[in-house]
Amino acid sequence: MSQVLNPAASLPLADSPELQQALAQANLPTLLAVYVHLSHDAAMLDRFADCIRPAFAPVPTSIPDDLAADLRGKLHHLLVTGEGLATGAPDDALFQRIMSVMVGEPVEQEFIELAFDQCGFRPWIDRSALPGRASRPANFKVLVIGAGMTGMAAAIKLEEAGYDYVVIEKNAEVGGTWYENRYPGVGVDTPSHFYSFSWEIWPDWHHYHPQGADMQRYMVEVADKYGLRRNVQFNTRVETLVYDEASGMWTVTVRRPDGRTEDLVVNAVINGHGPVNRFKWPDIPGLADFNGPVVHTADWPADLDLKGKRVAVIGTAASAAQLVGAIAPEVASLTVYQRTPHWVIHNPEIADEVSAGMQWALRNIPGFKEWFRFKVYWAAADGLFANVLQDPAWVGNDLAVSELNEMTRQYALSYLHQKFADRPDLIEKLTPDFPIFSKRIVLDNGWFDALLRPNVTLENKGIARILPNGIEAKDGSVFECDVIVCATGFNVARMLGNLTVKGIGGRDLGAEWGEEDARSYMGMCVPGYPNYFHTVGPNSAPNHAAGQNLISECQVNWIIEALDRVTEAGAKSFEVTEQAYDDWNRKVEARMPQMIWSHPRASSYYMNSKRRIFLSWPWRLVDFFNETRAPAEGSYVLHR
């Protein structure tokens, strides 16, 4: 373990107008946490405990002005003079008490290690700093597929752990999803201050939910800081992976920018290509015959100008909602084709800019960005888990699975009725008939406002065919348009994409998984494919809330622990056992009937055509964190 963060090391701060502005504008519960962290003044927690409420409580947080002023004054004095600064870091009990008060509800002991690691207080392991850690064998090489979030995490941590590695990236730059997705309005559902690497908590977000360009800027800055590009081979695609049992090596065939192929021989492969970069076109007759541009949101042309155009958008999920909100004011007319309505949540801060004072606090007040990250994690991640766990008392209910889930549904319904009070036709079209959270929700960032514009029409009668000059609905009506935009998602179920992966005895992972039935151990390993690690794999997606960044980090940690077992034992490779694989999949299958995604009315890309939930992790993020500290003894074999 690393040492606990010591914010006091950067004190005192100079008194300045910027500090005064930061104390006036910054989040108060976070200022409270910083003050108690630095001072160990637990009495201040008692004064605030009755004022701070959980994120989704019916009664909101309300801190009296005099109490807020007293906190700001005490913290200001401590920051600029150092007086009242405690010696050493808080003990774990005080940390836990600070966490509980700042989020308005108990934070149990099981969350403490996750909070230490994910919020930068005490990273789980910095392998470069472990005393006595032996260097890794010079001839042991790891190949990483993809330089998106997971691939970048793998590269940084492999470097830290002393492994030789190479990253193969099909694009010209790092960023993955955020390099590729550039459609107008593209953004992130996960709050900015949690959706980042735990070891690179960024203070420079412009919005509380990052826009796509901000997300890509963060990725680029991380790549710059860690010098990642020296080990990345850009504009290169991985095509085939073949395992040789005798040598324990993988031969990886890549295609270079000039079209030639090359074989790379490595000890291990970490596949970080992710499930959301292989977009799919809708299966609609006549799509290829349209006379104008037909584009997908995930492949947005840089030179596409929609001003004054007649535009059709196919789809109403997250990408479509972001796009429509952004382009509706500038197009001549816009028809949106909806197959299924989605639950829409009003998040008042979705478009909020981070104030200058808040940004200054994040950059300069010691400990502030770490504590704010914890506050965001708690509200946006495991705090939402009760929405997706079925309460047996609610079995048979068509529209909710628990009391909290019904409360969340009513909140969304109230917002829907409020926005469209004068448009009962839109209320009817936009009201889902399934429980909220049983498929991905949409955060409203201009979507509902766009649907109220006179130049926007929501069509839900279904598409019959595409004509050369427009779209014909199933009722025979025709919308003539200049551009068709397909916001129709990704082929998530085909998790290998176009990769060919051959394991022991010529086993073919693509054939075993087929088009839609991927299975693994912990979303990472399959027996018969030693030293092949498939990140963000089957049943590892955090579909109850934010947290893909955490899942990626946890999987990278587990994989490096697995590789360490190989190198420390002088073995050739690591393979999960059939028993562990079978037990794990039985455990997942037994859990799924308890989850909202299995509700009779649920239908989402989380499930395959046989209604097997192949994508979702059916427990909390803290459970994934705890499960991935190291491979369980007895769950694997080392080949020598």
Side-chain angles (χ1 to χ4, degrees), residues 421-435:
D422 298 327
R423 292 290 305 274
D425 59 316
L426 286 176
I427 291 176
E428 182 179 1
K429 287 180 179 180
L430 291 165
T431 302
D433 63 355
F434 50 84

Side-chain angles (χ1 to χ4, degrees), residues 525-536:
C525 295
V526 181
Y529 301 87
N531 276 9
Y532 172 75
F533 304 97
H534 190 108
T535 65
V536 199

